[in-house]
């Protein structure tokens, strides 16, 4: 489980879970957008980025967001980087989440 959030006055958040597969990773959760927000995720194998994708921009709503990442290397991804951004791409919160 993970949770990213912005500070007041725009209390946006993206919280959910990361699911690991052999050569793929899924990041899914609820995006609460106060203002306009977007979620990015990058799958990594060690220090090598494998795939980066994002949601579309959402403004003043709640939505379920699923980001499917390709990790087409032996063993797949060992961690992902997830970030919550504003409409201009400024990172409001982020975190690294490691494969158990």
């Amino acid at each position: 489980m993970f949770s990213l959030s912005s500070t007041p006055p725009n209390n946006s958040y993206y919280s959910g879970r990361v699911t690991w597969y052999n050569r793929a990773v899924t990041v899914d959760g609820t995006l609460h957008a106060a203002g306009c927000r977007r979620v990015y995720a990058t799958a990594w194998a060690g220090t090598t980025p494998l795939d980066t994708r994002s949601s579309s921009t959402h403004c003043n709503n709640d939505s379920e967001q699923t980001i499917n990442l390709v990790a087409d290397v032996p063993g797949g991804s060992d961690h992902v980087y997830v970030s919550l951004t504003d409409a201009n791409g400024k990172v409001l919160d982020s975190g690294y989440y490691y494969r158990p």
Side-chain angles (χ1 to χ4, degrees), residues 5-7 10 22 25-26 49 60 67 72-73 79 94 96-97:
S5 60
S6 64
T7 57
N10 296 320
N22 186 32
V25 180
T26 299
N60 300 313
I67 300 173
D72 196 12
V73 296
H79 68 285
S94 65
Y96 287 94
Y97 302 96

Side-chain angles (χ1 to χ4, degrees), residues 3-33:
S3 183
L4 304 174
S5 60
S6 64
T7 57
N10 296 320
N11 292 314
S12 298
Y13 64 82
Y14 180 55
S15 63
R17 65 181 159 172
V18 179
T19 305
W20 307 94
Y21 301 98
N22 186 32
R23 291 184 181 247
V25 180
T26 299
V27 178
D28 64 291
T30 301
L31 173 62
H32 171 74

Side-chain angles (χ1 to χ4, degrees), residues 11-77:
N11 292 314
S12 298
Y13 64 82
Y14 180 55
S15 63
R17 65 181 159 172
V18 179
T19 305
W20 307 94
Y21 301 98
N22 186 32
R23 291 184 181 247
V25 180
T26 299
V27 178
D28 64 291
T30 301
L31 173 62
H32 171 74
C36 294
R37 302 291 180 254
R38 181 175 228 165
V39 177
Y40 287 86
T42 302
W44 292 79
T47 59
T48 303
L50 303 173
D51 191 19
T52 299
R53 299 185 188 224
S54 72
S55 68
S56 57
T57 300
H58 291 267
C59 300
N60 300 313
N61 67 4
D62 293 325
S63 61
E64 294 299 314
Q65 296 300 313
T66 300
I67 300 173
N68 296 305
L69 300 166
V70 176
D72 196 12
V73 296
S77 171

